Amino acid sequence: IDNDGNGYVDDAHGWNSKANSSDVQDTEGHGTHVSGIIGAVGNNGVGVAGVNWTTRIVAVKASSGDSFTTLDLAEGVDYVTELKTGKGLDIVAINASLGGTVPEDPLLDEAIGDAGEAGILFVAAAGNNGGNNDTTPFYPASLFRPNVLSVAATDDHDALATFSTSQSSNYGRR
C-alpha cells in the first residue's frame, strides 16, 4: 500500500529503482559498509564510529550485483529528490560510491542537476581503474555541476588507495 501517497509502495525503508520495489536489502555489502562509514554511532564501545553519529540514512538501491543502468541510477536520484521536495525531508546529500564505469547520460545528468537545484549534494566515487578523470572522464563523478563532489579513495597514509594489482583509485584536480 502506498500509505503516504508518494507513488512508491511500502517505501518506509527506501526504494529499489532497479526492481521497482521496496526491497533495499544490500546483497553485496558495499552500501552497508559505506553507510556505516557515514553514520555509525560512536562513543558506544561497539565497532567503529561514523563521521556523523546522529545522521539518518535512506536506502536507495539501483543495482542487482554489478548490474545497473543509468536509468536505474537516475530514478534513484529522482526518488531522493522527491523525498526532499515533495515530502519535506531534510536531505543534504546522495552518496553514489560506484566503482564501475557509468556512461555519460543526459537523463542521469538531468536527475543530478535537479537534485542540485533542490539543494542536494551528489557525492560520487572517482572510480577504481587508476585513471586521471581530467583526461578520461569517469561518470557521474566527472559531471561538471556545482553539486557534484568527486571523491578518490585513499589509504592509511593518505595516498591513492590500491585495491588489487589491477585496481586503484581514480584521481584528478577537477
Side-chain angles (χ1 to χ4, degrees), residues 14-134:
W15 191 248
N16 182 332
S17 58
K18 175 77 173 175
N20 198 31
S21 77
S22 61
D23 179 7
V24 292
Q25 185 65 40
D26 182 5
T27 54
E28 302 297 315
H30 185 71
T32 301
H33 172 86
V34 172
S35 294
I37 291 170
I38 294 169
V41 174
N43 202 28
N44 62 359
V46 179
V48 299
V51 296
N52 185 336
W53 301 354
T54 60
T55 192
R56 295 189 305 169
I57 295 173
V58 175
V60 178
K61 185 174 183 174
S63 68
S64 175
D66 289 336
S67 171
F68 58 86
T69 67
T70 53
L71 176 61
D72 299 327
L73 293 172
E75 288 177 350
V77 172
D78 287 342
Y79 171 75
V80 174
T81 303
E82 176 59 28
L83 288 177
K84 180 165 187 167
T85 61
K87 293 294 175 186
L89 295 182
D90 186 22
I91 296 172
V92 297
I94 294 172
N95 177 67
S97 53
L98 309 167
T101 304
V102 176
E104 186 175 14
D105 184 320
L107 186 64
L108 180 57
D109 183 34
E110 180 180 350
I112 293 169
D114 291 345
E117 289 175 17
I120 300 172
L121 177 67
F122 187 86
V123 182
N128 297 333
N129 58 2
N132 180 339
N133 289 355
D134 294 338

